[in-house]
């Protein structure tokens, strides 16, 4: 196995992919040890436990924090992290042009979340050799070199208050060079907020700014005015910046902002700052408190329910093809087993040949054996055709094969009858046709089409009656299931399925 390496700028993605790779490589090595062995089985409890307790996410977060904070004692550092109520702490960069409201939003964020507010001015208040060196450049009215500035930021963020409570970097970084240098130094934010507003609005705001010298809070004669008369009396004008200087600062921001967006594209959200400051803060806070879509390994386990003709087989095929997960149709699986010269195949063959239902105990034994194989455990599965009733569903759960997504494809009986009873197959080519949706291309093909006796209206009505008799109890067992209108174009149905398959559901958050 190749060693795991970390790029600090993308350590989360590398870590997650390597966790998944290690998991699969280990399993593959086990198989390679004995090619004649039976298919490797992995207990389903392993994946369920890992996902229920977010083990992969936890490992990902712990290693990411180690790489970012670089503690002298990694073990003690991890112990402290695990003892905290939450392993993840906010790491926020709040960016935007002059007068966009960064200071106001940053202060409110810190009050609300108890994180540490970091600005360029308080970084330079630290009593260290690095700070003294930086102040010498300031005294000469020279810019602080980027490498020295990054060391100062690292120095501040490595302090115990930032490590334990998190931080908000206000107006840092300002340039692409700073952003890339911070990435190389391992300073990785969880969220980046970019406040945006038209230049005309920003110029107007800048002219009306007032500062409270006691608290440092920023107010405005039009947009934000304090209610406390004592605060009003001590407000001071901000150090005068001419309109020409402000325009120059805005132009500099516009030159850099595209590169900043690109650098932090995976965690950046732009927010319109030209609205009441309360609304701006609410939107920023909502984003800061949100969790990004996890890139930790996840094995999808999908159940598809629906009446005959609802398109379960087609949707399972589409899901399987796009996401490389195992497509399991219970009926096809039973036929495949009966064709094998095995004890179980011989046992179920009479039932299939006579058209009788295979006993639940046999079906469950075959199904659980198949779901335990390596491909299902590492890639995931989409199952349809089982369970058909509450008892079967409960037995499946008792076997620890618990779906992570459940979908009910819904349609009326009239639509089902139209879809099923009018379909046929060409015995020569194997091509499937439908009298309404896909008629035969020629009279010659039409004359040789064959209809499956199982698709007769009488047979279908019995199947529909059985499905609806059990649908309600199955829906009660899976209250988080998603209901999809199947009376649509198949690709529209797939888009609806896919949007709920890849996104987090409420019980995942």
């Amino acid at each position: 196995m190749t060693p795991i390496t970390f790029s600090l700028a993308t350590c989360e993605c590398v870590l997650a992919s390597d966790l998944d790779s290690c998991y699969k490589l280990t399993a593959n090595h086990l198989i390679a040890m004995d090619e004649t062995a039976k298919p490797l089985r992995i207990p389903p409890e392993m994946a369920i436990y890992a996902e229920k307790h977010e083990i992969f996410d936890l490992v990902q977060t712990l290693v990411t924090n180690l790489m970012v904070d670089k503690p002298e004692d990694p073990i003690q550092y991890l112990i402290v992290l695990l003892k905290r109520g939450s392993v993840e702490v906010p790491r926020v960069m709040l960016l935007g042009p002059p007068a966009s409201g960064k200071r106001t939003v940053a202060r409110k964020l810190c009050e609300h979340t108890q994180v540490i507010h970091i600005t360029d001015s308080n970084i330079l208040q630290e009593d260290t050799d690095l700070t003294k060196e930086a102040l010498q450049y300031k005294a000469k009215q020279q810019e602080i070199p980027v490498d020295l500035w990054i060391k100062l930021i690292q120095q501040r963020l490595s302090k115990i208050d930032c490590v334990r409570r998190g931080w908000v970097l206000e107006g840092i970084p300002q340039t692409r060079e700073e952003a890339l240098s911070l990435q190389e130094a391992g300073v990785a934010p969880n969220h980046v907020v970019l406040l945006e507003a038209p230049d005309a609005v920003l110029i107007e705001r800048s002219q009306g700014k007032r500062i409270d010298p006691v608290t440092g809070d920023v107010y405005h004669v039009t947009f934000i005015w304090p209610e406390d008369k004592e605060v009003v009396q001590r407000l001071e004008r901000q150090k005068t910046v001419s309109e020409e200087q402000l325009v120059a600062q805005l132009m500099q921001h516009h030159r850099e902002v595209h590169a900043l967006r690109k650098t932090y594209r995976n965690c950046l959200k732009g927010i319109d700052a030209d609205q009441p400051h309360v609304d701006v803060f609410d939107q920023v806070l909502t984003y800061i408190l949100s969790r990004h879509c996890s890139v930790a390994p996840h094995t999808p386990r999908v159940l598809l329910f629906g009446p005959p003709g609802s398109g379960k087989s087609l949707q399972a095929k589409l899901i399987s093809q796009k996401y490389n997960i195992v497509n399991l149709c219970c009926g096809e699986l039973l036929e495949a087993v009966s064709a094998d010269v095995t004890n179980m195949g011989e046992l179920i063959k009479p039932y299939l040949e006579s058209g009788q239902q295979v006993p639940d105990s046999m079906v469950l034994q075959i199904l659980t054996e198949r779901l335990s194989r390596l491909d299902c455990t590492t890639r995931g599965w989409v199952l349809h055709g089982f369970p058909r009733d509450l008892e079967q569903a409960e037995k499946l759960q008792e076997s620890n094969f618990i779906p992570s997504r459940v979908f009910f494809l819904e349609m009326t009986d009239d639509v089902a009858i139209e879809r099923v009873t009018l379909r046929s197959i060409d015995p020569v080519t194997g091509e499937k046709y439908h009298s309404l949706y896909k008629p035969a291309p020629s009279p010659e093909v039409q004359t040789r089409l064959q209809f499956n006796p199982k698709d007769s209206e009488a047979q279908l009505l019995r199947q529909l009656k059985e499905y609806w008799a059990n649908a309600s109890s199955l829906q009660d067992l899976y209250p988080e299931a998603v209901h999809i209108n199947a009376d649509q174009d198949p690709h529209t149905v797939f888009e609806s399925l896919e949007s709920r398959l890849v996104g987090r559901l409420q019980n995942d958050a």
Side-chain angles (χ1 to χ4, degrees):
M1 187 184 300
T2 56
I4 297 177
T5 58
F6 291 95
S7 167
L8 292 179
T10 57
C11 61
E12 289 190 7
C13 294
V14 173
L15 171 63
S17 62
D18 281 341
L19 280 172
D20 197 25
S21 299
C22 287
Y23 179 50
K24 293 177 181 177
L25 282 170
T26 302
N28 289 336
H29 286 176
L30 289 172
I31 292 177
M33 291 169 63
D34 184 2
E35 293 291 348
T36 63
K38 292 182 179 180
L40 182 66
R41 313 249 185 328
I42 298 177
E45 296 89 344
M46 291 174 60
I48 293 171
Y49 179 85
E51 289 178 22
K52 178 181 179 181
H53 298 282
E54 298 184 330
I55 300 299
F56 291 124
D57 295 271
L58 176 62
V59 173
Q60 174 185 322
T61 301
L62 291 175
V63 177
T64 299
N65 285 345
L66 275 175
M67 301 304 294
V68 171
D69 295 332
K70 304 182 189 67
E72 292 184 5
D73 186 346
I75 301 301
Q76 186 59 37
Y77 172 87
L78 291 176
I79 291 173
V80 172
L81 273 184
L82 291 169
K83 283 183 176 180
R84 282 202 320 234
S86 173
V87 173
E88 293 187 69
V89 296
R91 293 190 177 97
V92 182
M93 288 179 176
L94 186 59
L95 311 178
S100 57
K102 298 187 295 295
R103 177 63 51 86
T104 301
V105 172
R107 284 180 173 274
K108 283 181 171 292
L109 272 180
C110 294
E111 289 174 6
H112 192 90
T113 62
Q114 300 302 305
V115 299
I116 306 302
H117 184 190
I118 307 296
T119 66
D120 53 2
S121 59
N122 63 33
I123 287 175
L124 293 173
Q125 291 173 1
E126 300 290 317
D127 186 16
T128 66
D129 292 339
L130 285 176
T131 305
K132 292 174 182 177
E133 184 182 349
L135 290 174
Q136 290 177 3
Y137 285 96
K138 298 287 283 185
K140 298 175 185 177
Q141 296 186 339
Q142 297 176 350
E143 284 196 9
I144 301 173
V146 172
D147 58 343
L148 176 57
W149 182 234
I150 299 305
K151 289 177 182 177
L152 284 166
I153 296 172
Q154 277 186 292
Q155 176 181 262
R156 181 63 187 92
L157 297 184
S158 65
K159 288 186 175 291
I160 193 65
D161 56 350
C162 287
V163 171
R164 289 186 173 178
R165 292 164 55 188
W167 42 260
V168 173
L169 277 177
E170 179 200 322
I172 301 173
Q174 294 186 359
T175 67
R176 177 176 182 271
E177 183 182 5
E178 285 183 10
L180 294 177
S181 297
L182 284 171
Q183 282 193 334
E184 290 174 5
V187 178
N190 299 328
H191 300 83
V192 178
V193 174
L194 178 62
L195 301 179
E196 302 170 297
D199 286 358
V201 172
L202 297 172
I203 292 171
E204 181 185 356
R205 284 187 179 182
S206 179
Q207 293 171 346
K209 265 189 181 180
R210 299 291 185 272
I211 307 291
D212 183 346
V214 175
T215 64
D217 289 335
V218 179
Y219 296 96
H220 192 278
V221 295
T222 303
F223 306 112
I224 310 174
W225 196 245
E227 297 179 359
D228 191 328
K229 292 182 179 179
E230 185 178 342
V231 174
V232 172
Q233 290 177 352
R234 66 176 185 243
L235 291 183
E236 298 177 353
R237 286 180 176 272
Q238 191 182 25
K239 291 181 180 179
T240 55
V241 177
S242 68
E243 187 169 330
E244 290 76 13
Q245 290 173 316
L246 181 59
V247 169
Q249 292 174 2
L250 291 173
M251 292 298 293
Q252 174 66 19
H253 171 78
H254 293 320
R255 282 193 292 269
E256 297 288 350
V257 71
H258 176 71
L260 291 173
R261 282 181 179 277
K262 188 175 181 181
T263 303
Y264 296 113
R265 60 187 177 276
N266 293 326
C267 59
L268 184 144
K269 181 179 179 63
I271 292 179
D272 180 15
D274 186 19
Q275 53 181 325
H277 65 94
V278 174
D279 296 337
V280 175
F281 173 70
D282 286 344
Q283 292 175 36
V284 172
L285 182 63
T286 299
Y287 178 59
I288 298 306
L289 297 179
S290 68
R291 293 178 60 181
H292 295 305
C293 182
S294 174
V295 291
H298 168 69
T299 305
R301 303 179 302 276
V302 183
L303 268 185
L304 290 182
F305 291 102
S310 57
K312 298 186 294 297
S313 296
L314 175 59
Q315 296 304 325
K317 180 181 177 182
L318 293 174
I319 292 172
S320 172
Q321 288 176 342
K322 182 159 185 179
Y323 294 99
N324 191 34
I325 64 179
V326 180
N327 179 6
L328 289 178
C329 171
C330 185
E332 293 176 2
L333 179 61
L334 294 177
E335 290 176 2
V337 171
S338 70
D340 290 339
V341 185
T342 61
N343 290 336
M344 183 59 73
E346 293 298 322
L347 285 173
I348 68 171
K349 187 177 292 185
Y351 292 100
L352 295 178
E353 290 177 346
S354 63
Q356 294 179 299
Q357 275 198 335
V358 179
D360 286 355
S361 59
M362 294 183 182
V363 175
L364 199 66
Q365 184 177 340
I366 292 169
L367 194 58
T368 54
E369 188 276 337
R370 182 65 187 90
L371 291 172
S372 297
R373 290 187 190 176
L374 181 66
D375 57 350
C376 287
T377 307
T378 57
R379 289 161 47 198
W381 44 264
V382 52
L383 173 63
H384 51 110
F386 189 93
R388 294 178 180 271
D389 57 40
L390 180 61
E391 184 178 356
Q392 291 179 347
E394 289 175 338
K395 287 181 178 178
L396 187 65
Q397 286 197 328
E398 289 169 4
S399 302
N400 281 314
F401 291 99
I402 301 172
S404 56
R405 296 289 188 275
V406 179
F407 297 97
F408 283 87
L409 303 180
E410 299 184 329
M411 62 193 311
T412 64
D413 288 358
D414 289 341
V415 175
I417 291 170
E418 182 181 277
R419 283 190 178 183
V420 174
T421 60
L422 299 180
R423 61 191 183 190
S424 55
I425 189 170
D426 182 348
V428 175
T429 64
E431 187 74 19
K432 295 179 180 179
Y433 294 98
H434 191 279
S435 300
L436 294 179
Y437 308 135
K438 188 183 176 183
S442 67
E444 180 184 355
V445 174
Q446 178 66 43
T447 56
R448 66 177 187 240
L449 292 182
Q450 295 180 355
F451 292 85
N452 191 331
K454 293 182 179 178
D455 290 344
S456 68
E457 186 169 343
Q459 177 84 350
L460 176 61
L461 289 174
R462 284 195 294 271
Q463 293 174 343
L464 288 170
K465 183 178 180 180
E466 179 185 350
Y467 173 78
W468 291 117
N470 293 296
S472 179
S473 57
L474 287 170
Q475 290 171 4
D476 290 341
L477 183 64
Y478 301 111
E480 300 293 335
V482 178
H483 298 258
I484 304 287
N485 177 18
D487 187 14
Q488 306 178 80
D489 175 85
H491 292 287
T492 303
V493 175
F494 177 68
E495 287 175 359
S496 298
L497 281 168
E498 185 180 28
S499 66
R500 292 161 175 83
L501 180 66
V502 299
R504 283 181 178 266
L505 294 184
Q506 289 182 354
N507 59 321
D508 294 331

